Amino acid sequence: MTDATRRIAETLIREHALPKQDYARLIRERDDELAKLLAEHARRARERYYGSDVFTRGLIEISNFCKNDCLYCGIRRSNRDCVRYRLTEEEIAACAREGYALGFRTFVLQGGEDGYYTDERLCSIVARLKREHPDCAVTLSMGERERDSYQRLFDAGADRYLLRHETADRAHYGRLHPPEMSFDHRMACLKNLREIGYQVGCGFMVGSPFQTPETLAEDLRFIETFRPDMCGIGPFVPHHGTPFKDMPAGTAELTCFLLSVIRLIHPPVLLPATTALGTIHPRGRELGLLAGANVVMPNLSPVAVRKQYELYDNKLCTGEESAQCRDCLDARVRSVGCRLVTARGDIRFQEKQSL
Ligand code: SAM
């Protein structure tokens, strides 16, 4: 760590904000000593809000049909080798029932942008989950929809929405997506979700093609101003059915570094240690927690379809039962001094000591 990077880190810890060029400099000049300093402060910041609690979300991957063609994604429409599936309302309700019995109090319904899930169908699914599990939160991660659709889903009971912004740099967005996809529309969706009253999650992949310290600095500035309730960042992992075959060296370390920076920018944020991080490093999720994450998202999808929801190669836990996933994560969380809790896990805006 140089004197200059130490000074920048101290400003971040004190002020929770930096100029863009300082974020880029921290990323470019980072070393183990700097990463350790930021991780220590990030853990302290997390503990002030959440103690040692780690929240768990049951991920139900409801469909891998997708009308989009994001260049990095294994379920993009032009991947002809992808065997498509979608779950019925009954199957989704069964996953949630199993999850509830295992202690999950948040269900995340995620899928490709699949026209089958009209507002009517999706509202019916959301309302049913809320009716059957009134003490649980329902999170949607179903991509870009129009404002009135988001409103209807909110009115049906959806509590949270995850929509990674993917990159806050317009030119970078253009290189990761086909021309018919719009940076402005994605950003407008996030704004609409916030205005409607959802707890909103944004996020991005680390190590995505054409990413630079400057594009990452733009992401961090966006997080500073948007102040999301959740922030999903995980490594980009190549999928053989896409044009992007390479993952930069050091992606796991950079992901952990950025988790610490994000925790320091916005201390109460709900920050997952992602399955993708566990995919590229055997202790990836533990390292994510040590860097300041406080959420894990094990899979509740039926085992028969898990392999088919393949956003990237070598995805973890595709052959395991949900209970096995939960037990495995429980042990991993305990190994780093935290505890997996049964709670909805909403964002806490007040520090624990002051409650
Ligand atoms: N369709 C919804 C949407 O667009 O938000 C949700 C599903 S989408 C597949 C969920 C997330 O997967 C994306 O936001 C993206 O960041 C991530 N993802 C896609 N391909 C990936 C890859 N190759 N490696 C890591 N993450 C990936």
Side-chain angles (χ1 to χ4, degrees), residues 63 65-66 68 70-75 109-114 141-144 161-166 181 186 203-206 232 234-239 242 244 276 309-313:
S63 170
F65 283 89
C66 193
N68 290 335
C70 307
L71 274 81
Y72 45 83
C73 184
I75 62 169
L109 307 188
Q110 190 179 89
E113 290 194 17
D114 177 357
S141 175
M142 298 296 296
E144 297 174 40
Y161 207 103
L162 297 176
L163 185 76
R164 289 184 173 183
H165 62 281
E166 310 298 1
M181 290 184 71
R186 201 155 182 98
F204 57 89
M205 293 178 294
V206 180
F236 160 70
V237 188
H239 184 283
T242 73
F244 299 141
Y309 195 81
E310 195 187 47
L311 310 180
Y312 50 80
D313 290 336

Side-chain angles (χ1 to χ4, degrees), residues 175-236:
R175 299 181 81 176
L176 295 177
H177 298 94
E180 70 272 14
M181 290 184 71
S182 153
F183 174 77
D184 289 330
H185 190 259
R186 201 155 182 98
M187 289 302 198
C189 286
L190 283 169
K191 185 168 164 281
N192 287 336
L193 290 161
R194 163 67 55 79
E195 283 173 5
I196 289 168
Y198 284 94
Q199 294 173 43
V200 184
C202 65
F204 57 89
M205 293 178 294
V206 180
S208 66
F210 318 116
Q211 190 173 64
T212 63
E214 282 69 30
T215 65
L216 282 170
E218 205 63 70
D219 290 315
L220 297 172
R221 291 285 292 172
F222 175 65
I223 289 162
E224 249 186 39
T225 52
F226 187 66
R227 301 182 75 71
D229 301 287
M230 297 93 76
C231 185
I233 71 155
F236 160 70

Side-chain angles (χ1 to χ4, degrees), residues 91-305:
E91 289 170 318
I92 295 167
C95 293
R97 270 198 302 279
E98 187 182 357
Y100 191 89
L102 291 168
F104 291 92
R105 296 295 178 265
T106 289
F107 304 114
V108 181
L109 307 188
Q110 190 179 89
E113 290 194 17
D114 177 357
Y116 172 84
Y117 293 99
T118 57
D119 291 346
E120 210 183 340
R121 288 200 174 104
L122 209 46
C123 284
S124 164
I125 294 167
V126 169
R128 174 161 177 182
L129 295 183
K130 292 296 285 189
R131 199 168 55 244
E132 293 183 358
H133 309 287
D135 52 337
C136 293
V138 172
T139 305
L140 296 175
S141 175
M142 298 296 296
E144 297 174 40
R145 301 172 81 97
E146 293 315 305
R147 187 182 171 118
D148 63 324
S149 170
Y150 287 146
Q151 182 70 59
R152 290 181 68 181
L153 294 163
F154 185 74
D155 295 342
D159 302 275
R160 309 186 185 131
Y161 207 103
L162 297 176
L163 185 76
R164 289 184 173 183
H165 62 281
E166 310 298 1
T167 169
D169 181 292
R170 180 185 298 278
H172 186 212
Y173 185 93
R175 299 181 81 176
L176 295 177
H177 298 94
E180 70 272 14
M181 290 184 71
S182 153
F183 174 77
D184 289 330
H185 190 259
R186 201 155 182 98
M187 289 302 198
C189 286
L190 283 169
K191 185 168 164 281
N192 287 336
L193 290 161
R194 163 67 55 79
E195 283 173 5
I196 289 168
Y198 284 94
Q199 294 173 43
V200 184
C202 65
F204 57 89
M205 293 178 294
V206 180
S208 66
F210 318 116
Q211 190 173 64
T212 63
E214 282 69 30
T215 65
L216 282 170
E218 205 63 70
D219 290 315
L220 297 172
R221 291 285 292 172
F222 175 65
I223 289 162
E224 249 186 39
T225 52
F226 187 66
R227 301 182 75 71
D229 301 287
M230 297 93 76
C231 185
I233 71 155
F236 160 70
V237 188
H239 184 283
H240 60 276
T242 73
F244 299 141
K245 311 286 184 209
D246 300 318
M247 179 170 42
T251 297
E253 292 72 14
L254 178 56
T255 305
C256 291
F257 184 81
L258 292 168
L259 285 169
S260 299
V261 172
I262 292 169
R263 170 68 63 206
L264 290 168
I265 291 174
H266 185 25
V269 73
L270 295 161
L271 201 55
T274 62
T275 304
L277 187 52
T279 299
I280 65 163
H281 189 290
R283 294 188 68 243
R285 284 161 297 177
E286 293 90 313
L287 297 177
L289 295 172
L290 288 170
N294 68 329
V295 172
V296 288
M297 294 176 66
N299 202 321
L300 280 184
S301 309
V303 176
V305 304

